[in-house]
Amino acid sequence: RFRSIARSYFRKAHGVLLLYDISSQSSFLGVRQWIEDIKAGAGACASPPQAHSALFCETSAKDGTNVVEAVLHLAREVKRRADRGSAGSVLELGIPPRAARGCCRT
């Protein structure tokens, strides 16, 4: 149900956090569909398949590890792009290789 209205939110979003549960394969595999939904919501500005880059950050909702840092990093990136005058540009999305433990690796 949520996916049907989500695209309208993505159309005006300046940033998106994609989250998945490492203990659930279906949760992880669902990230690819969310990426497609985000690109569809962004319209023609979205980048072509296989040309993605993204930040990867390991967090834990259970113990709070890196949750605040991930949100702050996204906020700083959105502000940095807005300050450069590229707020309308679309961040490329993708699923990068697993990064070392820590937050917000590129």
Side-chain angles (χ1 to χ4, degrees):
R1 278 187 307 175
F2 180 73
R3 282 188 198 273
S4 63
I5 63 169
R7 288 183 183 179
S8 64
Y9 288 103
F10 298 143
R11 201 169 291 125
K12 295 183 180 182
H14 293 281
V16 176
L17 290 174
L18 293 174
L19 310 170
Y20 63 91
D21 179 351
I22 63 167
S23 65
S24 167
Q25 183 178 12
S26 64
S27 173
F28 175 74
L29 295 175
V31 170
R32 290 206 184 273
Q33 182 58 50
W34 282 109
I35 289 171
E36 295 304 315
D37 291 349
I38 292 165
K39 289 183 349 184
C45 297
S47 56
Q50 308 301 325
H52 309 298
S53 64
L55 299 174
F56 180 82
C57 185
E58 289 184 7
T59 64
S60 172
K62 182 177 180 180
D63 65 18
T65 303
N66 287 332
V67 173
V68 171
E69 291 84 356
V71 174
L72 287 174
H73 190 81
L74 175 63
R76 285 186 199 108
E77 181 65 20
V78 168
K79 183 180 184 319
R80 184 181 67 80
R81 287 172 178 259
D83 289 348
R84 284 193 341 203
S86 59
S89 66
V90 175
L91 267 174
E92 293 181 351
L93 304 171
I95 303 171
R98 184 181 168 119
R101 207 170 229 339
C103 184
C104 306
R105 310 251 185 234
T106 54

PDB file of all heavy atoms in Angstrom, residues 4-42:
ATOM      1  N   SER A   4       2.516   2.678  -3.360  1.00  0.00           N
ATOM      2  CA  SER A   4       1.689   3.392  -4.327  1.00  0.00           C
ATOM      3  C   SER A   4       1.701   4.902  -4.111  1.00  0.00           C
ATOM      4  O   SER A   4       1.552   5.670  -5.057  1.00  0.00           O
ATOM      5  CB  SER A   4       0.254   2.866  -4.295  1.00  0.00           C
ATOM      6  OG  SER A   4      -0.325   3.112  -3.029  1.00  0.00           O
ATOM      7  N   ILE A   5       1.907   5.359  -2.887  1.00  0.00           N
ATOM      8  CA  ILE A   5       1.957   6.808  -2.637  1.00  0.00           C
ATOM      9  C   ILE A   5       3.377   7.327  -2.460  1.00  0.00           C
ATOM     10  O   ILE A   5       3.619   8.527  -2.495  1.00  0.00           O
ATOM     11  CB  ILE A   5       1.107   7.202  -1.404  1.00  0.00           C
ATOM     12  CG1 ILE A   5       1.649   6.553  -0.141  1.00  0.00           C
ATOM     13  CG2 ILE A   5      -0.347   6.883  -1.631  1.00  0.00           C
ATOM     14  CD1 ILE A   5       1.055   7.084   1.135  1.00  0.00           C
ATOM     15  N   ALA A   6       4.324   6.421  -2.293  1.00  0.00           N
ATOM     16  CA  ALA A   6       5.707   6.827  -2.009  1.00  0.00           C
ATOM     17  C   ALA A   6       6.333   7.628  -3.140  1.00  0.00           C
ATOM     18  O   ALA A   6       7.095   8.564  -2.894  1.00  0.00           O
ATOM     19  CB  ALA A   6       6.563   5.602  -1.698  1.00  0.00           C
ATOM     20  N   ARG A   7       6.020   7.287  -4.388  1.00  0.00           N
ATOM     21  CA  ARG A   7       6.658   7.981  -5.519  1.00  0.00           C
ATOM     22  C   ARG A   7       6.411   9.479  -5.494  1.00  0.00           C
ATOM     23  O   ARG A   7       7.272  10.261  -5.859  1.00  0.00           O
ATOM     24  CB  ARG A   7       6.175   7.387  -6.839  1.00  0.00           C
ATOM     25  CG  ARG A   7       6.745   6.030  -7.090  1.00  0.00           C
ATOM     26  CD  ARG A   7       6.318   5.475  -8.414  1.00  0.00           C
ATOM     27  NE  ARG A   7       6.847   4.134  -8.574  1.00  0.00           N
ATOM     28  CZ  ARG A   7       6.623   3.394  -9.622  1.00  0.00           C
ATOM     29  NH1 ARG A   7       5.903   3.851 -10.614  1.00  0.00           N
ATOM     30  NH2 ARG A   7       7.137   2.187  -9.686  1.00  0.00           N
ATOM     31  N   SER A   8       5.229   9.895  -5.055  1.00  0.00           N
ATOM     32  CA  SER A   8       4.953  11.331  -4.989  1.00  0.00           C
ATOM     33  C   SER A   8       5.836  12.012  -3.941  1.00  0.00           C
ATOM     34  O   SER A   8       6.212  13.173  -4.103  1.00  0.00           O
ATOM     35  CB  SER A   8       3.470  11.589  -4.694  1.00  0.00           C
ATOM     36  OG  SER A   8       3.125  11.079  -3.420  1.00  0.00           O
ATOM     37  N   TYR A   9       6.203  11.301  -2.893  1.00  0.00           N
ATOM     38  CA  TYR A   9       7.115  11.860  -1.892  1.00  0.00           C
ATOM     39  C   TYR A   9       8.525  11.966  -2.448  1.00  0.00           C
ATOM     40  O   TYR A   9       9.243  12.933  -2.194  1.00  0.00           O
ATOM     41  CB  TYR A   9       7.122  11.012  -0.621  1.00  0.00           C
ATOM     42  CG  TYR A   9       5.865  11.134   0.185  1.00  0.00           C
ATOM     43  CD1 TYR A   9       4.900  10.138   0.166  1.00  0.00           C
ATOM     44  CD2 TYR A   9       5.625  12.269   0.962  1.00  0.00           C
ATOM     45  CE1 TYR A   9       3.746  10.255   0.908  1.00  0.00           C
ATOM     46  CE2 TYR A   9       4.464  12.395   1.702  1.00  0.00           C
ATOM     47  CZ  TYR A   9       3.527  11.379   1.669  1.00  0.00           C
ATOM     48  OH  TYR A   9       2.381  11.502   2.395  1.00  0.00           O
ATOM     49  N   PHE A  10       8.960  10.960  -3.197  1.00  0.00           N
ATOM     50  CA  PHE A  10      10.304  10.970  -3.758  1.00  0.00           C
ATOM     51  C   PHE A  10      10.500  12.107  -4.751  1.00  0.00           C
ATOM     52  O   PHE A  10      11.597  12.614  -4.920  1.00  0.00           O
ATOM     53  CB  PHE A  10      10.617   9.638  -4.447  1.00  0.00           C
ATOM     54  CG  PHE A  10      10.594   8.451  -3.519  1.00  0.00           C
ATOM     55  CD1 PHE A  10      10.100   7.236  -3.938  1.00  0.00           C
ATOM     56  CD2 PHE A  10      11.069   8.556  -2.219  1.00  0.00           C
ATOM     57  CE1 PHE A  10      10.079   6.139  -3.099  1.00  0.00           C
ATOM     58  CE2 PHE A  10      11.050   7.474  -1.360  1.00  0.00           C
ATOM     59  CZ  PHE A  10      10.552   6.261  -1.806  1.00  0.00           C
ATOM     60  N   ARG A  11       9.428  12.514  -5.413  1.00  0.00           N
ATOM     61  CA  ARG A  11       9.513  13.542  -6.437  1.00  0.00           C
ATOM     62  C   ARG A  11      10.099  14.844  -5.878  1.00  0.00           C
ATOM     63  O   ARG A  11      10.830  15.543  -6.560  1.00  0.00           O
ATOM     64  CB  ARG A  11       8.118  13.795  -7.018  1.00  0.00           C
ATOM     65  CG  ARG A  11       8.121  14.444  -8.365  1.00  0.00           C
ATOM     66  CD  ARG A  11       6.727  14.414  -8.998  1.00  0.00           C
ATOM     67  NE  ARG A  11       6.357  13.045  -9.355  1.00  0.00           N
ATOM     68  CZ  ARG A  11       5.250  12.425  -8.939  1.00  0.00           C
ATOM     69  NH1 ARG A  11       4.391  13.044  -8.182  1.00  0.00           N
ATOM     70  NH2 ARG A  11       4.999  11.188  -9.306  1.00  0.00           N
ATOM     71  N   LYS A  12       9.780  15.156  -4.624  1.00  0.00           N
ATOM     72  CA  LYS A  12      10.233  16.420  -4.038  1.00  0.00           C
ATOM     73  C   LYS A  12      11.287  16.224  -2.946  1.00  0.00           C
ATOM     74  O   LYS A  12      11.687  17.179  -2.303  1.00  0.00           O
ATOM     75  CB  LYS A  12       9.034  17.176  -3.472  1.00  0.00           C
ATOM     76  CG  LYS A  12       8.062  17.602  -4.553  1.00  0.00           C
ATOM     77  CD  LYS A  12       6.939  18.411  -3.994  1.00  0.00           C
ATOM     78  CE  LYS A  12       5.990  18.801  -5.120  1.00  0.00           C
ATOM     79  NZ  LYS A  12       4.896  19.622  -4.646  1.00  0.00           N
ATOM     80  N   ALA A  13      11.749  15.020  -2.755  1.00  0.00           N
ATOM     81  CA  ALA A  13      12.718  14.734  -1.699  1.00  0.00           C
ATOM     82  C   ALA A  13      14.109  15.230  -2.073  1.00  0.00           C
ATOM     83  O   ALA A  13      14.517  15.170  -3.224  1.00  0.00           O
ATOM     84  CB  ALA A  13      12.763  13.239  -1.431  1.00  0.00           C
ATOM     85  N   HIS A  14      14.824  15.701  -1.085  1.00  0.00           N
ATOM     86  CA  HIS A  14      16.218  16.108  -1.281  1.00  0.00           C
ATOM     87  C   HIS A  14      17.184  15.010  -0.848  1.00  0.00           C
ATOM     88  O   HIS A  14      18.368  15.082  -1.126  1.00  0.00           O
ATOM     89  CB  HIS A  14      16.519  17.385  -0.507  1.00  0.00           C
ATOM     90  CG  HIS A  14      15.797  18.570  -1.031  1.00  0.00           C
ATOM     91  ND1 HIS A  14      16.198  19.267  -2.143  1.00  0.00           N
ATOM     92  CD2 HIS A  14      14.673  19.184  -0.607  1.00  0.00           C
ATOM     93  CE1 HIS A  14      15.366  20.259  -2.381  1.00  0.00           C
ATOM     94  NE2 HIS A  14      14.419  20.228  -1.457  1.00  0.00           N
ATOM     95  N   GLY A  15      16.660  14.011  -0.160  1.00  0.00           N
ATOM     96  CA  GLY A  15      17.485  12.891   0.289  1.00  0.00           C
ATOM     97  C   GLY A  15      16.599  11.741   0.733  1.00  0.00           C
ATOM     98  O   GLY A  15      15.448  11.939   1.098  1.00  0.00           O
ATOM     99  N   VAL A  16      17.163  10.548   0.689  1.00  0.00           N
ATOM    100  CA  VAL A  16      16.419   9.351   1.065  1.00  0.00           C
ATOM    101  C   VAL A  16      17.349   8.431   1.842  1.00  0.00           C
ATOM    102  O   VAL A  16      18.502   8.238   1.461  1.00  0.00           O
ATOM    103  CB  VAL A  16      15.903   8.596  -0.188  1.00  0.00           C
ATOM    104  CG1 VAL A  16      15.210   7.302   0.202  1.00  0.00           C
ATOM    105  CG2 VAL A  16      14.987   9.469  -1.011  1.00  0.00           C
ATOM    106  N   LEU A  17      16.848   7.863   2.923  1.00  0.00           N
ATOM    107  CA  LEU A  17      17.562   6.813   3.641  1.00  0.00           C
ATOM    108  C   LEU A  17      16.885   5.488   3.305  1.00  0.00           C
ATOM    109  O   LEU A  17      15.681   5.342   3.479  1.00  0.00           O
ATOM    110  CB  LEU A  17      17.488   7.033   5.155  1.00  0.00           C
ATOM    111  CG  LEU A  17      18.270   8.195   5.740  1.00  0.00           C
ATOM    112  CD1 LEU A  17      17.956   8.344   7.222  1.00  0.00           C
ATOM    113  CD2 LEU A  17      19.752   7.992   5.534  1.00  0.00           C
ATOM    114  N   LEU A  18      17.639   4.551   2.792  1.00  0.00           N
ATOM    115  CA  LEU A  18      17.122   3.209   2.533  1.00  0.00           C
ATOM    116  C   LEU A  18      17.662   2.297   3.625  1.00  0.00           C
ATOM    117  O   LEU A  18      18.865   2.221   3.837  1.00  0.00           O
ATOM    118  CB  LEU A  18      17.582   2.699   1.170  1.00  0.00           C
ATOM    119  CG  LEU A  18      17.016   3.422  -0.033  1.00  0.00           C
ATOM    120  CD1 LEU A  18      17.669   2.915  -1.310  1.00  0.00           C
ATOM    121  CD2 LEU A  18      15.521   3.238  -0.099  1.00  0.00           C
ATOM    122  N   LEU A  19      16.774   1.608   4.289  1.00  0.00           N
ATOM    123  CA  LEU A  19      17.152   0.756   5.402  1.00  0.00           C
ATOM    124  C   LEU A  19      16.706  -0.672   5.142  1.00  0.00           C
ATOM    125  O   LEU A  19      15.679  -0.896   4.499  1.00  0.00           O
ATOM    126  CB  LEU A  19      16.485   1.251   6.693  1.00  0.00           C
ATOM    127  CG  LEU A  19      16.653   2.741   6.982  1.00  0.00           C
ATOM    128  CD1 LEU A  19      15.755   3.158   8.134  1.00  0.00           C
ATOM    129  CD2 LEU A  19      18.091   3.068   7.285  1.00  0.00           C
ATOM    130  N   TYR A  20      17.473  -1.631   5.640  1.00  0.00           N
ATOM    131  CA  TYR A  20      17.073  -3.022   5.535  1.00  0.00           C
ATOM    132  C   TYR A  20      17.558  -3.770   6.767  1.00  0.00           C
ATOM    133  O   TYR A  20      18.459  -3.321   7.475  1.00  0.00           O
ATOM    134  CB  TYR A  20      17.601  -3.672   4.250  1.00  0.00           C
ATOM    135  CG  TYR A  20      19.106  -3.730   4.158  1.00  0.00           C
ATOM    136  CD1 TYR A  20      19.805  -4.831   4.626  1.00  0.00           C
ATOM    137  CD2 TYR A  20      19.828  -2.685   3.601  1.00  0.00           C
ATOM    138  CE1 TYR A  20      21.192  -4.887   4.555  1.00  0.00           C
ATOM    139  CE2 TYR A  20      21.200  -2.725   3.513  1.00  0.00           C
ATOM    140  CZ  TYR A  20      21.877  -3.830   3.990  1.00  0.00           C
ATOM    141  OH  TYR A  20      23.240  -3.877   3.917  1.00  0.00           O
ATOM    142  N   ASP A  21      16.952  -4.912   7.009  1.00  0.00           N
ATOM    143  CA  ASP A  21      17.280  -5.761   8.143  1.00  0.00           C
ATOM    144  C   ASP A  21      18.269  -6.823   7.674  1.00  0.00           C
ATOM    145  O   ASP A  21      17.941  -7.626   6.791  1.00  0.00           O
ATOM    146  CB  ASP A  21      15.983  -6.400   8.655  1.00  0.00           C
ATOM    147  CG  ASP A  21      16.191  -7.323   9.835  1.00  0.00           C
ATOM    148  OD1 ASP A  21      17.349  -7.635  10.190  1.00  0.00           O
ATOM    149  OD2 ASP A  21      15.173  -7.756  10.402  1.00  0.00           O
ATOM    150  N   ILE A  22      19.467  -6.849   8.250  1.00  0.00           N
ATOM    151  CA  ILE A  22      20.482  -7.807   7.788  1.00  0.00           C
ATOM    152  C   ILE A  22      20.106  -9.255   8.090  1.00  0.00           C
ATOM    153  O   ILE A  22      20.673 -10.162   7.524  1.00  0.00           O
ATOM    154  CB  ILE A  22      21.881  -7.503   8.356  1.00  0.00           C
ATOM    155  CG1 ILE A  22      21.893  -7.623   9.878  1.00  0.00           C
ATOM    156  CG2 ILE A  22      22.379  -6.153   7.907  1.00  0.00           C
ATOM    157  CD1 ILE A  22      23.277  -7.643  10.478  1.00  0.00           C
ATOM    158  N   SER A  23      19.132  -9.447   8.966  1.00  0.00           N
ATOM    159  CA  SER A  23      18.714 -10.811   9.273  1.00  0.00           C
ATOM    160  C   SER A  23      17.564 -11.283   8.374  1.00  0.00           C
ATOM    161  O   SER A  23      17.076 -12.394   8.516  1.00  0.00           O
ATOM    162  CB  SER A  23      18.293 -10.931  10.747  1.00  0.00           C
ATOM    163  OG  SER A  23      17.140 -10.153  10.996  1.00  0.00           O
ATOM    164  N   SER A  24      17.150 -10.429   7.422  1.00  0.00           N
ATOM    165  CA  SER A  24      16.035 -10.769   6.535  1.00  0.00           C
ATOM    166  C   SER A  24      16.444 -10.589   5.078  1.00  0.00           C
ATOM    167  O   SER A  24      16.635  -9.468   4.611  1.00  0.00           O
ATOM    168  CB  SER A  24      14.838  -9.870   6.849  1.00  0.00           C
ATOM    169  OG  SER A  24      13.862  -9.961   5.855  1.00  0.00           O
ATOM    170  N   GLN A  25      16.554 -11.706   4.376  1.00  0.00           N
ATOM    171  CA  GLN A  25      16.943 -11.641   2.968  1.00  0.00           C
ATOM    172  C   GLN A  25      15.924 -10.853   2.151  1.00  0.00           C
ATOM    173  O   GLN A  25      16.294 -10.066   1.287  1.00  0.00           O
ATOM    174  CB  GLN A  25      17.108 -13.043   2.384  1.00  0.00           C
ATOM    175  CG  GLN A  25      17.573 -13.025   0.939  1.00  0.00           C
ATOM    176  CD  GLN A  25      17.772 -14.421   0.375  1.00  0.00           C
ATOM    177  OE1 GLN A  25      17.376 -15.419   0.966  1.00  0.00           O
ATOM    178  NE2 GLN A  25      18.401 -14.486  -0.782  1.00  0.00           N
ATOM    179  N   SER A  26      14.632 -11.044   2.428  1.00  0.00           N
ATOM    180  CA  SER A  26      13.614 -10.324   1.651  1.00  0.00           C
ATOM    181  C   SER A  26      13.700  -8.818   1.897  1.00  0.00           C
ATOM    182  O   SER A  26      13.462  -8.025   0.983  1.00  0.00           O
ATOM    183  CB  SER A  26      12.215 -10.844   1.976  1.00  0.00           C
ATOM    184  OG  SER A  26      11.893 -10.599   3.331  1.00  0.00           O
ATOM    185  N   SER A  27      14.067  -8.418   3.107  1.00  0.00           N
ATOM    186  CA  SER A  27      14.247  -6.996   3.404  1.00  0.00           C
ATOM    187  C   SER A  27      15.391  -6.422   2.571  1.00  0.00           C
ATOM    188  O   SER A  27      15.265  -5.362   1.968  1.00  0.00           O
ATOM    189  CB  SER A  27      14.530  -6.819   4.900  1.00  0.00           C
ATOM    190  OG  SER A  27      14.867  -5.493   5.202  1.00  0.00           O
ATOM    191  N   PHE A  28      16.505  -7.143   2.525  1.00  0.00           N
ATOM    192  CA  PHE A  28      17.658  -6.700   1.742  1.00  0.00           C
ATOM    193  C   PHE A  28      17.326  -6.652   0.252  1.00  0.00           C
ATOM    194  O   PHE A  28      17.619  -5.674  -0.437  1.00  0.00           O
ATOM    195  CB  PHE A  28      18.853  -7.619   1.984  1.00  0.00           C
ATOM    196  CG  PHE A  28      20.036  -7.296   1.116  1.00  0.00           C
ATOM    197  CD1 PHE A  28      20.806  -6.178   1.380  1.00  0.00           C
ATOM    198  CD2 PHE A  28      20.360  -8.090   0.029  1.00  0.00           C
ATOM    199  CE1 PHE A  28      21.902  -5.858   0.575  1.00  0.00           C
ATOM    200  CE2 PHE A  28      21.440  -7.781  -0.774  1.00  0.00           C
ATOM    201  CZ  PHE A  28      22.214  -6.658  -0.502  1.00  0.00           C
ATOM    202  N   LEU A  29      16.693  -7.688  -0.253  1.00  0.00           N
ATOM    203  CA  LEU A  29      16.357  -7.729  -1.676  1.00  0.00           C
ATOM    204  C   LEU A  29      15.342  -6.663  -2.054  1.00  0.00           C
ATOM    205  O   LEU A  29      15.316  -6.192  -3.192  1.00  0.00           O
ATOM    206  CB  LEU A  29      15.850  -9.119  -2.061  1.00  0.00           C
ATOM    207  CG  LEU A  29      16.886 -10.246  -1.940  1.00  0.00           C
ATOM    208  CD1 LEU A  29      16.241 -11.599  -2.215  1.00  0.00           C
ATOM    209  CD2 LEU A  29      18.072 -10.006  -2.850  1.00  0.00           C
ATOM    210  N   GLY A  30      14.519  -6.244  -1.122  1.00  0.00           N
ATOM    211  CA  GLY A  30      13.538  -5.194  -1.373  1.00  0.00           C
ATOM    212  C   GLY A  30      14.152  -3.838  -1.646  1.00  0.00           C
ATOM    213  O   GLY A  30      13.515  -2.967  -2.240  1.00  0.00           O
ATOM    214  N   VAL A  31      15.410  -3.644  -1.253  1.00  0.00           N
ATOM    215  CA  VAL A  31      16.080  -2.360  -1.475  1.00  0.00           C
ATOM    216  C   VAL A  31      16.136  -2.041  -2.970  1.00  0.00           C
ATOM    217  O   VAL A  31      15.939  -0.903  -3.381  1.00  0.00           O
ATOM    218  CB  VAL A  31      17.489  -2.350  -0.838  1.00  0.00           C
ATOM    219  CG1 VAL A  31      18.283  -1.126  -1.260  1.00  0.00           C
ATOM    220  CG2 VAL A  31      17.368  -2.412   0.677  1.00  0.00           C
ATOM    221  N   ARG A  32      16.381  -3.031  -3.784  1.00  0.00           N
ATOM    222  CA  ARG A  32      16.445  -2.782  -5.239  1.00  0.00           C
ATOM    223  C   ARG A  32      15.127  -2.232  -5.767  1.00  0.00           C
ATOM    224  O   ARG A  32      15.110  -1.335  -6.604  1.00  0.00           O
ATOM    225  CB  ARG A  32      16.826  -4.049  -5.989  1.00  0.00           C
ATOM    226  CG  ARG A  32      18.257  -4.444  -5.748  1.00  0.00           C
ATOM    227  CD  ARG A  32      18.794  -5.262  -6.901  1.00  0.00           C
ATOM    228  NE  ARG A  32      20.132  -5.698  -6.613  1.00  0.00           N
ATOM    229  CZ  ARG A  32      21.223  -4.987  -6.879  1.00  0.00           C
ATOM    230  NH1 ARG A  32      21.115  -3.817  -7.416  1.00  0.00           N
ATOM    231  NH2 ARG A  32      22.409  -5.459  -6.590  1.00  0.00           N
ATOM    232  N   GLN A  33      13.997  -2.749  -5.286  1.00  0.00           N
ATOM    233  CA  GLN A  33      12.698  -2.243  -5.722  1.00  0.00           C
ATOM    234  C   GLN A  33      12.496  -0.809  -5.248  1.00  0.00           C
ATOM    235  O   GLN A  33      11.969   0.029  -5.979  1.00  0.00           O
ATOM    236  CB  GLN A  33      11.556  -3.129  -5.213  1.00  0.00           C
ATOM    237  CG  GLN A  33      10.194  -2.671  -5.692  1.00  0.00           C
ATOM    238  CD  GLN A  33      10.081  -2.622  -7.211  1.00  0.00           C
ATOM    239  OE1 GLN A  33      10.420  -3.580  -7.888  1.00  0.00           O
ATOM    240  NE2 GLN A  33       9.615  -1.511  -7.757  1.00  0.00           N
ATOM    241  N   TRP A  34      12.932  -0.509  -4.026  1.00  0.00           N
ATOM    242  CA  TRP A  34      12.816   0.871  -3.542  1.00  0.00           C
ATOM    243  C   TRP A  34      13.653   1.816  -4.392  1.00  0.00           C
ATOM    244  O   TRP A  34      13.238   2.939  -4.684  1.00  0.00           O
ATOM    245  CB  TRP A  34      13.238   0.967  -2.065  1.00  0.00           C
ATOM    246  CG  TRP A  34      12.172   0.485  -1.139  1.00  0.00           C
ATOM    247  CD1 TRP A  34      12.187  -0.655  -0.398  1.00  0.00           C
ATOM    248  CD2 TRP A  34      10.922   1.130  -0.873  1.00  0.00           C
ATOM    249  NE1 TRP A  34      11.009  -0.752   0.301  1.00  0.00           N
ATOM    250  CE2 TRP A  34      10.227   0.321   0.043  1.00  0.00           C
ATOM    251  CE3 TRP A  34      10.333   2.308  -1.325  1.00  0.00           C
ATOM    252  CZ2 TRP A  34       8.957   0.668   0.520  1.00  0.00           C
ATOM    253  CZ3 TRP A  34       9.076   2.638  -0.847  1.00  0.00           C
ATOM    254  CH2 TRP A  34       8.404   1.829   0.061  1.00  0.00           C
ATOM    255  N   ILE A  35      14.829   1.374  -4.815  1.00  0.00           N
ATOM    256  CA  ILE A  35      15.671   2.204  -5.692  1.00  0.00           C
ATOM    257  C   ILE A  35      14.924   2.487  -6.993  1.00  0.00           C
ATOM    258  O   ILE A  35      14.907   3.624  -7.470  1.00  0.00           O
ATOM    259  CB  ILE A  35      17.029   1.526  -5.965  1.00  0.00           C
ATOM    260  CG1 ILE A  35      17.873   1.548  -4.689  1.00  0.00           C
ATOM    261  CG2 ILE A  35      17.764   2.220  -7.112  1.00  0.00           C
ATOM    262  CD1 ILE A  35      19.142   0.724  -4.782  1.00  0.00           C
ATOM    263  N   GLU A  36      14.299   1.483  -7.558  1.00  0.00           N
ATOM    264  CA  GLU A  36      13.520   1.680  -8.781  1.00  0.00           C
ATOM    265  C   GLU A  36      12.364   2.645  -8.552  1.00  0.00           C
ATOM    266  O   GLU A  36      12.085   3.506  -9.388  1.00  0.00           O
ATOM    267  CB  GLU A  36      13.005   0.342  -9.318  1.00  0.00           C
ATOM    268  CG  GLU A  36      14.106  -0.595  -9.780  1.00  0.00           C
ATOM    269  CD  GLU A  36      15.007   0.041 -10.836  1.00  0.00           C
ATOM    270  OE1 GLU A  36      14.481   0.682 -11.775  1.00  0.00           O
ATOM    271  OE2 GLU A  36      16.237  -0.102 -10.725  1.00  0.00           O
ATOM    272  N   ASP A  37      11.700   2.531  -7.404  1.00  0.00           N
ATOM    273  CA  ASP A  37      10.595   3.438  -7.076  1.00  0.00           C
ATOM    274  C   ASP A  37      11.094   4.876  -6.928  1.00  0.00           C
ATOM    275  O   ASP A  37      10.443   5.822  -7.376  1.00  0.00           O
ATOM    276  CB  ASP A  37       9.896   3.006  -5.787  1.00  0.00           C
ATOM    277  CG  ASP A  37       9.116   1.712  -5.940  1.00  0.00           C
ATOM    278  OD1 ASP A  37       8.933   1.255  -7.092  1.00  0.00           O
ATOM    279  OD2 ASP A  37       8.699   1.158  -4.903  1.00  0.00           O
ATOM    280  N   ILE A  38      12.254   5.046  -6.308  1.00  0.00           N
ATOM    281  CA  ILE A  38      12.825   6.385  -6.146  1.00  0.00           C
ATOM    282  C   ILE A  38      13.170   6.976  -7.505  1.00  0.00           C
ATOM    283  O   ILE A  38      12.867   8.135  -7.793  1.00  0.00           O
ATOM    284  CB  ILE A  38      14.072   6.339  -5.227  1.00  0.00           C
ATOM    285  CG1 ILE A  38      13.649   5.985  -3.800  1.00  0.00           C
ATOM    286  CG2 ILE A  38      14.824   7.668  -5.269  1.00  0.00           C
ATOM    287  CD1 ILE A  38      14.803   5.569  -2.909  1.00  0.00           C
ATOM    288  N   LYS A  39      13.803   6.176  -8.360  1.00  0.00           N
ATOM    289  CA  LYS A  39      14.141   6.660  -9.706  1.00  0.00           C
ATOM    290  C   LYS A  39      12.887   7.013 -10.485  1.00  0.00           C
ATOM    291  O   LYS A  39      12.854   8.018 -11.185  1.00  0.00           O
ATOM    292  CB  LYS A  39      14.979   5.626 -10.447  1.00  0.00           C
ATOM    293  CG  LYS A  39      16.365   5.510  -9.881  1.00  0.00           C
ATOM    294  CD  LYS A  39      17.306   4.557 -10.575  1.00  0.00           C
ATOM    295  CE  LYS A  39      16.771   3.634 -11.574  1.00  0.00           C
ATOM    296  NZ  LYS A  39      17.751   2.689 -12.108  1.00  0.00           N
ATOM    297  N   ALA A  40      11.845   6.209 -10.368  1.00  0.00           N
ATOM    298  CA  ALA A  40      10.591   6.488 -11.072  1.00  0.00           C
ATOM    299  C   ALA A  40       9.959   7.776 -10.551  1.00  0.00           C
ATOM    300  O   ALA A  40       9.428   8.571 -11.325  1.00  0.00           O
ATOM    301  CB  ALA A  40       9.622   5.318 -10.916  1.00  0.00           C
ATOM    302  N   GLY A  41      10.033   7.995  -9.256  1.00  0.00           N
ATOM    303  CA  GLY A  41       9.497   9.219  -8.671  1.00  0.00           C
ATOM    304  C   GLY A  41      10.282  10.449  -9.082  1.00  0.00           C
ATOM    305  O   GLY A  41       9.731  11.536  -9.236  1.00  0.00           O
ATOM    306  N   ALA A  42      11.588  10.261  -9.305  1.00  0.00           N
ATOM    307  CA  ALA A  42      12.438  11.374  -9.722  1.00  0.00           C
ATOM    308  C   ALA A  42      12.235  11.707 -11.194  1.00  0.00           C
ATOM    309  O   ALA A  42      12.644  12.761 -11.661  1.00  0.00           O
ATOM    310  CB  ALA A  42      13.903  11.048  -9.454  1.00  0.00           C
TER     311      ALA A  42
END
